[in-house]
Amino acid sequence: MNDKSKQKMSGYQSYLIQDNLKYFKPHKTSVTVTFAEELRKTLQEPKKSISPKFFYDENGSKLFDEICSLPEYYPYNSETEILQTLEKKLLPYLSNEFHLVELGSGSSVKTRLLINILFKSQTHLQYFPIDISEILDQSAKNLCMDYENLTVTGVVDTFENGLDFIEHYDDKPNLITFLGSSFGNFNENEGMKFLQKINNLMKSDDLFLIGLDLKKDQQVLHNAYNDSQNITAKFNLNVLKRINDELGADFDLENFEHHAIYDEEKGRVEMYLRSLSDQSITIPKSDLSVTLSKDELIHTENSHKFSISQIDSLLNECNFEKLEIWFDSKNYYSLVLAKKL
Ligand SMILES: C[S@@+](CC[C@H](N)C(=O)[O-])C[C@H]1O[C@@H](n2cnc3c(N)ncnc32)[C@H](O)[C@@H]1O
């Protein structure tokens, strides 16, 4: 690690778990302040919203894993299918020893498919998971138990902060992965800025592997975000419980319902929490009182779906050269391999 990386990590607590596993976490107080401040802003806007990054407390991460096991949730199944058949297609690009950097690593289950491929071309691997959720701790331990020659350095923080850390780590090439169609959560401008940030910090021999969900039949989309077991609804509502637990708020979860619709014009699934009555809520740590009328919506997530031409122009505008694009057998989902132009 060079001096810039060390400096960047000075606001973090480091946890050395074992020789091949350490991770960095920002001090707890700064995380709580950010959460409280962001809500204070977004819940006072005319169209109220809560950022999707706040879904992922311990319970939220567990619920997301449950979503991934639902038959309706095709993004997980489609991306896994592509990764399972990737070895021969990816190996020709892996002539050097790569580090694996993963944005939003979550439970790192699909990561194993990539780790297996990387171990076909190198004997040791450094893995840098970056995730806002504390789930990173357990996921990293599980990986270290199963892979002898793996060294894990995790960053429990936002994508942006994690990337700043990686940027100055060393001179080895990185395979930077962004799976799970998480990129689709950004709005257009933020997404472009984020891709440009990744592009700017990439070295000429780095690779970028990104999972992008495709436009498709609206019924398939509807079912994926309104599953029959209501797990997505629980996941959505859990963010209110998190606000209660961490910021002392008094949301009554019975007074809200999950609402997810596809907006064809914007090409995205939009997720909301609908207020079932006129009500007012206090969030002491945000120093905020929120009034909601019956049927008012709190926006919690966008999930953009892309056409191939949109993917091409996005990569172009952000200075990437598309090396490959792979699809699942239903053509629901794409995995793009790119490098810096
Ligand atoms: C849709 S899940 C994908 C998980 C996993 N990569 C997969 O493909 O199954 C998104 C992951 O990104 C993390 N995440 C969401 N927003 C984030 C942010 N702004 N910064 C860092 N991590 C974030 C979540 O904690 C979660 O683990």
Side-chain angles (χ1 to χ4, degrees):
M1 196 192 301
N2 74 12
D3 286 347
K4 273 198 178 158
S5 271
K6 280 188 192 145
Q7 202 182 332
K8 168 75 200 154
M9 297 329 273
S10 61
Y12 290 71
Q13 174 101 30
S14 85
Y15 297 79
L16 179 62
I17 310 300
Q18 57 199 54
D19 280 353
N20 61 342
L21 168 57
K22 64 173 174 296
Y23 58 88
F24 295 87
K25 259 182 6 184
H27 296 292
K28 188 162 175 37
T29 43
S30 60
V31 176
T32 311
V33 169
T34 313
F35 186 22
E37 279 171 354
E38 277 202 40
L39 286 182
R40 193 175 151 70
K41 180 170 175 291
T42 61
L43 288 178
Q44 289 198 91
E45 279 162 2
K47 289 193 174 169
K48 298 179 176 63
S49 65
I50 300 171
S51 164
K53 68 174 180 258
F54 297 126
F55 279 139
Y56 298 94
D57 64 351
E58 197 186 339
N59 198 37
S61 291
K62 278 191 193 138
L63 286 166
F64 181 75
D65 281 348
E66 281 185 50
I67 290 175
C68 290
S69 67
L70 294 165
E72 299 99 317
Y73 195 67
Y74 67 84
Y76 184 85
N77 302 327
S78 298
E79 192 171 54
T80 302
E81 184 195 317
I82 302 172
L83 288 165
Q84 278 167 340
T85 57
L86 209 60
E87 184 181 316
K88 282 206 178 97
K89 302 169 194 162
L90 188 59
L91 271 177
Y93 293 97
L94 303 177
S95 47
N96 297 318
E97 184 175 315
F98 273 81
H99 292 324
L100 178 61
V101 177
E102 183 169 20
L103 300 165
S105 46
S107 55
S108 293
V109 171
K110 276 178 276 177
T111 318
R112 288 169 182 259
L113 296 165
L114 285 173
I115 292 176
N116 295 342
I117 296 174
L118 283 153
F119 271 132
K120 298 274 173 190
S121 65
Q122 58 194 71
T123 50
H124 185 265
L125 177 64
Q126 284 238 37
Y127 172 51
F128 297 89
I130 299 167
D131 201 295
I132 202 161
S133 167
E134 309 249 341
I135 194 180
L136 189 149
D137 172 16
Q138 192 55 49
S139 318
K141 282 181 189 149
N142 293 345
L143 283 179
C144 287
M145 270 193 291
D146 294 344
Y147 292 94
E148 218 179 301
N149 294 327
L150 185 73
T151 304
V152 181
T153 305
V155 185
V156 184
D157 204 350
T158 59
F159 304 132
E160 289 83 355
N161 287 341
L163 280 172
D164 288 344
F165 168 70
I166 301 301
E167 184 173 6
H168 303 291
Y169 194 83
D170 66 18
D171 294 332
K172 290 234 173 87
N174 296 310
L175 170 61
I176 302 174
T177 61
F178 197 15
L179 304 178
S181 73
S182 297
F183 177 75
N185 299 150
F186 285 110
N187 71 31
E188 206 178 318
N189 288 340
E190 288 168 351
M192 295 271 283
K193 265 200 213 154
F194 188 63
L195 283 189
Q196 273 152 3
K197 180 179 173 77
I198 294 177
N199 189 280
N200 287 339
L201 65 81
M202 278 172 73
K203 300 185 281 284
S204 58
D205 49 357
D206 282 357
L207 293 170
F208 182 44
L209 185 69
I210 179 169
L212 295 168
D213 198 7
L214 301 175
K215 291 188 193 292
K216 60 184 62 63
D217 181 85
Q218 292 197 21
Q219 193 60 48
V220 175
L221 291 171
H222 179 85
N223 295 347
Y225 292 86
N226 293 280
D227 66 273
S228 54
Q229 294 173 47
N230 286 329
I231 311 289
T232 315
K234 279 192 198 155
F235 172 74
N236 197 8
L237 284 158
N238 180 64
V239 75
L240 300 183
K241 182 175 179 306
R242 179 177 186 189
I243 300 171
N244 287 348
D245 293 347
E246 294 183 26
L247 305 179
D250 56 0
F251 280 104
D252 177 356
L253 272 58
E254 297 290 316
N255 257 338
F256 291 86
E257 75 178 6
H258 167 72
H259 177 62
I261 47 139
Y262 182 64
D263 183 325
E264 194 171 4
E265 202 181 312
K266 293 186 176 136
R268 67 190 192 196
V269 174
E270 298 179 347
M271 219 155 79
Y272 297 93
L273 289 162
R274 189 206 305 274
S275 170
L276 295 177
S277 62
D278 293 340
Q279 52 181 320
S280 92
I281 288 100
T282 50
I283 309 178
K285 287 198 180 156
S286 296
D287 193 17
L288 180 65
S289 173
V290 185
T291 40
L292 287 151
S293 42
K294 185 171 181 312
D295 292 329
E296 189 173 344
L297 299 172
I298 303 177
H299 183 212
T300 50
E301 189 179 74
N302 289 325
S303 191
H304 287 86
K305 312 299 164 192
F306 300 91
S307 64
I308 309 297
S309 61
Q310 281 174 322
I311 293 175
D312 285 343
S313 50
L314 193 62
L315 293 170
N316 238 335
E317 283 175 53
C318 298
N319 223 22
F320 282 101
E321 177 189 344
K322 184 174 80 177
L323 299 170
E324 302 277 357
I325 180 162
W326 296 296
F327 305 98
D328 61 309
S329 52
K330 291 182 174 150
N331 278 326
Y332 280 175
Y333 197 89
S334 68
L335 198 59
V336 176
L337 183 70
K339 65 181 218 174
K340 194 182 168 89
L341 263 178

